[in-house]
Amino acid sequence: MEPLIVDGVAITHPDREVFGDGGPTKGDVATYYEAVAPHMLPELRGRPLSVVRCPRGTSGACFFQKHHASALGRHVKAVALKEKDGGDAEYLYVDDVEGVLELVQMNTLEFHPWGARVDKPDQPDRLIFDIDPSEGVDWKAIVACAREIRERLQGQGLESFVRTSGGKGLHVVVPFRRGPAWGKVKAFCEGIADAMVADSPQGYIAEASKAKREGLIFIDWLRNTRGATSVTGWSLRARPGAPVAMPLRWDEIARLKGGGAFDMAKALKRARSSETDPWEGIASLKQALP
Ligand code: ATP
Ligand code: MN
Ligand code: MN
């Protein structure tokens, strides 16, 4: 089969079914990302990026990749960053749809950026509350948790934005002016999570311990650290059914079925509808952490 050319990028084996029998093909993944790139790129470009690559589709082994390699393509850029052990390593990032598609050609399904940009990796401009329900928690409770985080942030003068993860939960994202280092940002998030647990110990937990989590929602504030990532809006997830992490308006989350409510087909429909961007205003919002 001939390669499929998408925005000038050759996608080989476009007929390969990557989400199981009868599911979306590699070619579908490429045309999906081409269609949603105008929505996805503002939150993705210029940030160190980890990708989930699945060379044999979602039924085979997938792996996280954060380091650059020239084989990834001409538009996949490199940035030298300090590693935890003090050494330097080349991390990857993209600025344009061609870079996204070159990563798709290398069997990327998921896109996970940092909460900081490549020019100042030590000064984040996004923080995230990753809402992780344990088995059996009602969607209503998950929505209430997200709303409470939003209200507590508003109490500190901060607007926030919500998306489904494409998995089980929701993510609440806060953009802010660069300045504070990661440690300060993480402590701020821990403070909110701890206050919520103190007020609702029967609903929430702020410790990563899986054993204690039963029946509770884990308010995961630990993503706010240098090198941590979260899945970006409009990214597919490498799971059966091709779910998508979807940015939403706050008034939309109550009527969803769950964190996996959007799949590739629904996301495409949303991308093509003339509705305004659910995260409209995030780029121009000027707010600073207290
Ligand atoms: P769910 O709603 O099912 O929790 P999620 O994307 O929030 O979906 P988490 O396990 O809570 O999944 O992880 C939060 C984020 O942490 C992910 O979006 C991802 O960017 C990052 N992450 C998770 N697991 C890994 C891993 N093994 N390696 C690197 N990053 C990871
Ligand atoms: Mn999560
Ligand atoms: Mn988590």
Side-chain angles (χ1 to χ4, degrees), residues 215-282:
L216 304 177
I217 295 173
F218 171 41
I219 304 171
D220 185 355
W221 52 276
L222 296 152
R223 315 302 329 158
N224 300 289
T225 182
R226 192 180 186 281
T229 62
S230 56
V231 71
T232 203
W234 301 91
S235 175
L236 292 163
R237 305 309 303 262
R239 302 177 195 186
V244 170
M246 179 57 70
L248 295 162
R249 294 190 315 270
W250 276 103
D251 63 6
E252 291 181 296
I253 55 175
R255 56 176 182 266
L256 299 182
K257 290 218 161 59
F262 284 86
D263 62 7
M264 183 192 272
K266 288 202 177 107
L268 271 177
K269 218 172 138 197
R270 193 168 163 89
R272 290 179 179 136
S273 82
S274 57
E275 256 189 285
T276 54
D277 188 336
W279 282 20
E280 199 180 13
I282 191 169

Side-chain angles (χ1 to χ4, degrees), residues 12-75:
T12 56
H13 307 288
D15 56 338
R16 188 190 285 152
E17 292 177 336
V18 288
F19 286 93
D21 287 346
T25 62
K26 187 178 174 188
D28 293 331
V29 171
T31 52
Y32 169 77
Y33 278 118
E34 180 193 34
V36 304
H39 301 280
M40 184 172 81
L41 276 167
E43 288 297 304
L44 183 68
R45 67 159 55 98
R47 295 171 183 278
L49 175 66
S50 293
V51 291
V52 175
R53 294 172 59 193
C54 306
R56 297 182 182 281
T58 57
S59 51
C62 299
F63 57 94
F64 261 94
Q65 178 166 353
K66 61 182 181 180
H67 289 142
H68 182 260
S70 49
L72 290 173
R74 282 194 304 126
H75 295 85

Side-chain angles (χ1 to χ4, degrees), residues 50 52 64 110-113 128 130-133 163-171 213 218 220 223 227-232 237 239 245 259:
S50 293
V52 175
F64 261 94
E110 302 188 3
F111 293 84
H112 298 250
I128 178 174
D130 165 28
I131 301 174
D132 286 335
R163 68 171 167 245
T164 59
S165 68
K168 288 187 292 206
L170 291 169
H171 295 168
R213 210 183 287 178
F218 171 41
D220 185 355
R223 315 302 329 158
T229 62
S230 56
V231 71
T232 203
R237 305 309 303 262
R239 302 177 195 186

